[in-house]
Amino acid sequence: MRIVRAKDYQDMSEKAACMIAEQIRRKPDCVLGLATGSTPEGIYEKLTEWYRAGELDFARVTTVNLDEYRGLDSENVHSYYHYMKEKLFSRVNLRQERTFVPDGMEPDSGRACREYDGIIASVGGVDLQLLGLGHNGHIGFNEPGTDFETRTHCVDLTESTVRANRRFFASMDEVPRQACTMGIGTIMQAAEIVMAVSGEDKAEVLRNAVCGPVTIMLPASVLQLHRNVTVIADEAALSLVGHGGRVS
Ligand code: GLP
């Protein structure tokens, strides 16, 4: 696991965006696994900036997102599809039919999840997966206790995740209680993983994820077992991790 220490949020965003841009230049028809949340916003901003400057071309890129709330359609402003459209899809030359987000509206959630795994397989798997880190150590919406072998599945969100997501909604009642997420097994199949982390409030969970034992009670700790992971985090998030560059 490689740890890249960024000065601040801006620097973290630029460094993570650089890795994605390099992936696109190396393989113009690559498959990017994308994440939502506040952390990647600056990364999408940078990618958009480079696209507008003519330095990056998404014409042949495919994207598969990590997760989606259950019960929110793509037009709902709180859906992750809507987030992606606002922050990236509509701002660069990605082809809409090459952007995939789990279907949170399919009544048969098991079927929606199986189909999503089918999509990931049919595009040849993920070349580079971008991840954020939840305060309880979740990746995607894989909450503590999730088996490391899981494929795309439907989850009940923990109370702490529902509370953390509250800031995006008008009231607690509106926050979805369920989501469809790539499983940990799905995420671990990506050829390369980049996890972006920012802020002092993530310092403890980040330390435990990269230096602590690998345990299903802290889903991000599984990344210690992946052969090609880069954690890009700012000083605040890395304040409890010693300098050194490489953890395992
Ligand atoms: C949500 C998303 C995750 C994301 C996490 C952290 O739960 N499903 O993919 O990594 O939040 O979000 P933030 O970056 O806003 O702290």
Side-chain angles (χ1 to χ4, degrees):
M1 179 181 278
R2 201 162 68 101
I3 308 252
V4 175
R5 202 170 273 267
K7 267 200 314 287
D8 51 22
Y9 178 77
Q10 266 311 104
D11 191 29
M12 178 214 72
S13 303
E14 185 155 351
K15 285 183 160 73
C18 247
M19 289 194 66
I20 296 173
E22 274 164 24
Q23 171 66 66
I24 297 172
R25 292 192 187 106
R26 205 163 49 234
K27 187 178 173 193
D29 61 347
C30 65
V31 178
L32 299 177
L34 298 179
T36 49
S38 333
T39 312
E41 286 185 17
I43 301 173
Y44 298 143
E45 197 59 50
K46 271 282 150 207
L47 292 174
T48 303
E49 191 184 307
W50 295 334
Y51 164 71
R52 288 185 177 152
E55 293 164 13
L56 211 48
D57 182 10
F58 291 81
R60 296 169 61 203
V61 172
T62 297
T63 66
V64 285
N65 260 78
L66 275 173
D67 44 19
E68 179 59 284
Y69 288 119
R70 286 258 294 144
L72 303 191
D73 64 45
S74 57
E75 294 304 315
N76 188 305
V77 293
H78 297 304
S79 72
Y80 282 164
Y81 187 85
H82 191 271
Y83 168 106
M84 289 308 304
K85 202 164 126 193
E86 291 278 292
K87 313 280 180 215
L88 189 72
F89 295 169
S90 66
R91 303 171 84 197
V92 300
N93 64 333
L94 271 164
R95 284 158 54 209
Q96 200 192 336
E97 67 275 21
R98 303 303 303 167
T99 59
F100 299 97
V101 177
D103 181 358
M105 291 305 285
E106 165 63 55
D108 182 348
S109 62
R111 178 178 155 172
C113 294
R114 280 191 303 280
E115 280 180 5
Y116 202 64
D117 280 332
I119 289 170
I120 296 170
S122 73
V123 297
V126 174
D127 292 298
L128 187 152
Q129 176 68 55
L130 176 65
L131 294 178
L133 176 65
H135 284 101
N136 61 4
H138 72 215
I139 47 177
F141 266 135
N142 294 285
E143 300 282 30
T146 308
D147 196 277
F148 285 167
E149 303 301 318
T150 48
R151 317 299 306 177
T152 302
H153 62 295
C154 184
V155 293
D156 293 325
L157 302 176
T158 61
E159 215 27 58
S160 82
T161 299
V162 172
R163 268 199 309 277
N165 294 341
R166 160 72 179 86
R167 67 191 193 278
F168 300 111
F169 294 82
S171 74
M172 196 65 177
D173 289 346
E174 284 179 40
V175 189
R177 299 302 207 261
Q178 286 192 320
C180 244
T181 181
M182 277 188 202
I184 295 182
T186 325
I187 293 170
M188 288 293 277
Q189 278 195 330
E192 181 172 5
I193 295 177
V194 173
M195 183 165 77
V197 193
S198 167
E200 208 185 334
D201 53 322
K202 300 270 176 82
E204 194 175 338
V205 68
L206 180 59
R207 188 226 10 231
N208 294 341
V210 302
C211 308
V214 175
T215 162
I216 61 166
M217 294 320 290
L218 205 164
S221 67
V222 74
L223 300 177
Q224 295 180 35
L225 306 178
H226 193 281
R227 65 193 178 289
N228 191 1
V229 176
T230 305
V231 174
I232 305 181
D234 59 18
E235 287 287 354
L238 281 171
S239 55
L240 300 176
V241 177
H243 287 258
R246 189 170 279 274
V247 170
S248 61

